[in-house]
Amino acid sequence: MLDLVTLGESLLVFSPIQPGPLRYAVLFTKSVAGAETNVAVVITRMGLRAGWIGRVGDDELGRYLLSSIRGEGVDTSRVIVDPEAPTGLYLKEARRPGEVHIYYYRKGSAGSRLGPQDVDPSYIANSRALYVSGITSALGEQCHAAVMKAVQTAQEHNIPVYFDPNYRSKLWSADAARRAWLQLLPHCDVLLPSTEEAQILVGAGSPEEMAQRLLRLGPRLVLLKTGEEGVWDASDASLRFVGSPRRGHVVDPVGAGDAFSGGFIAGQLRGLDALESARLGALLASYAVEALGDTQGIPTYKELTEEVRLASDVHR
Ligand code: KDG
């Protein structure tokens, strides 16, 4: 049995090794991106088992994606190699350290051809949790239908659904995003929005006000991410400030949200309460931003427990 199943598009990311405008970049690193596979990788780093449903092109980049994700220990048995479309990618530009611009080359990609026919209900039914991100719904109607099928299947089998809206303004409008998210939310247990995403859903307000309004949309738990300030954990009963462990300086902020989600879910799967799970998520996010790449900075569970003295129940 898998601990977590996720679905969505994984991409290649090419990042210049020096900051500055992309037009002057000469040397690039190549790595794996995509919110869903990032979360799956975090889950495996935390010593748990994750599986990913998606499509890659029958090309060199697709082969690289598959071998890297599989190499991280993620189950890729449900990934389809699509001969009809190329693997998507994006270029990352760091105008100055910590300030990142993203340029997608993913229109018509294999990953964006995911559809409900690719979602095997038994794969989800045999796992302990489902993670979905709003990015998949932004890729097209069939992708959104695949996510809807996944969350409905999970709900039918009492499998908790974790949802990060992951708003991408280059992929769709805020109005279109809100409409899709409102369809998903009644099937979700835990919502992991940023302040901006919370505002898209329920308008502006204090963390307390936004969290209370978000809880009325369906989830039993809301983890409101306010960036460097930290995270608010809202359940029906209370709103608690989780805080933000400050460590080194930020090299690359992309991937922090996925590290938080993956850490939170790993905590829940390991039997931690919501607050301890959120602390684990915040800690992993602080590692993620210290290295170039979405998941490269994230330690293994063994390294984490050796290096950091967490609350005693993290060691279970
Ligand atoms: O969350 C990090 C992701 O944004 C990145 O890896 C790429 O999934 C991605 C996207 O579509 O922006």
Side-chain angles (χ1 to χ4, degrees):
M1 182 185 239
L2 292 169
D3 293 299
L4 179 96
V5 164
T6 186
L7 71 161
E9 181 171 24
S10 197
L11 305 147
L12 262 286
V13 49
F14 291 90
S15 314
I17 62 169
Q18 297 284 357
L22 199 51
R23 78 197 84 146
Y24 299 118
V26 180
L27 299 172
F28 292 76
T29 61
K30 170 178 105 230
S31 61
V32 175
E36 299 80 5
T37 47
N38 287 348
V39 168
V41 167
V42 175
I43 293 293
T44 61
R45 294 265 169 91
M46 293 298 104
L48 299 162
R49 289 147 304 174
W52 169 54
I53 302 168
R55 283 176 176 253
V56 298
D58 187 10
D59 49 29
E60 283 303 305
L61 299 189
R63 285 185 263 286
Y64 170 73
L65 271 188
L66 259 186
S67 66
S68 306
I69 294 165
R70 199 183 288 136
E72 292 285 352
V74 175
D75 179 57
T76 57
S77 60
R78 302 307 160 108
V79 176
I80 292 163
V81 178
D82 185 341
E84 309 285 328
T87 303
L89 62 91
Y90 77 80
L91 303 176
K92 194 187 262 184
E93 178 186 59
R95 288 275 168 97
R96 51 190 72 81
E99 183 198 307
V100 176
H101 298 257
I102 279 173
Y103 304 100
Y104 292 125
Y105 295 83
R106 68 193 306 179
K107 215 173 167 47
S109 64
S112 68
R113 285 155 52 91
L114 185 76
Q117 72 285 352
D118 302 333
V119 178
D120 173 1
S122 70
Y123 194 59
I124 294 172
N126 281 312
S127 73
R128 294 175 61 212
L130 175 75
Y131 165 82
V132 294
S133 135
I135 297 171
T136 315
S137 294
L139 301 177
E141 275 175 28
Q142 287 305 298
C143 284
H144 179 59
V147 179
M148 286 300 294
K149 180 174 174 182
V151 297
Q152 282 163 347
T153 303
Q155 196 179 36
E156 278 160 24
H157 292 86
N158 289 322
I159 290 159
V161 176
Y162 297 83
F163 173 48
D164 183 342
N166 265 327
Y167 180 58
R168 299 289 182 262
S169 61
K170 289 188 174 176
L171 297 180
W172 57 353
S173 70
D175 273 351
R178 185 190 311 108
R179 281 195 297 276
W181 300 347
L182 288 175
Q183 286 172 14
L184 287 169
L185 275 169
H187 308 286
C188 297
D189 296 273
V190 180
L191 173 64
L192 302 128
S194 65
T195 310
E196 184 196 7
E197 291 152 357
Q199 284 182 14
I200 291 174
L201 274 166
V202 294
S206 66
E208 287 87 344
E209 287 161 350
M210 286 197 284
Q212 288 313 316
R213 286 184 228 146
L214 290 166
L215 281 171
R216 280 182 226 128
L217 299 177
R220 64 174 170 80
L221 195 66
V222 171
L223 290 149
L224 185 60
K225 298 174 278 183
T226 56
E228 286 194 1
E229 236 182 76
V231 177
W232 293 85
D233 156 14
S235 64
D236 272 331
S238 62
L239 181 86
R240 298 174 296 187
F241 187 56
V242 178
S244 165
R246 300 295 300 267
R247 290 165 38 89
H249 73 290
V250 175
V251 174
D252 177 4
V254 179
D258 304 334
F260 177 79
S261 299
F264 180 81
I265 299 168
Q268 294 279 278
L269 289 166
R270 283 184 168 275
L272 303 186
D273 68 20
L275 193 62
E276 279 302 325
S277 301
R279 288 200 179 117
L280 180 59
L283 183 64
L284 295 190
S286 74
Y287 277 95
V289 300
E290 286 174 19
L292 189 65
D294 290 5
T295 57
Q296 282 82 330
I298 298 184
T300 61
Y301 190 69
K302 189 165 177 284
E303 287 164 344
L304 190 69
T305 48
E306 275 165 8
E307 189 186 322
V308 186
R309 286 195 64 77
L310 290 169
S312 58
D313 49 358
V314 173
H315 299 268
R316 274 179 210 160

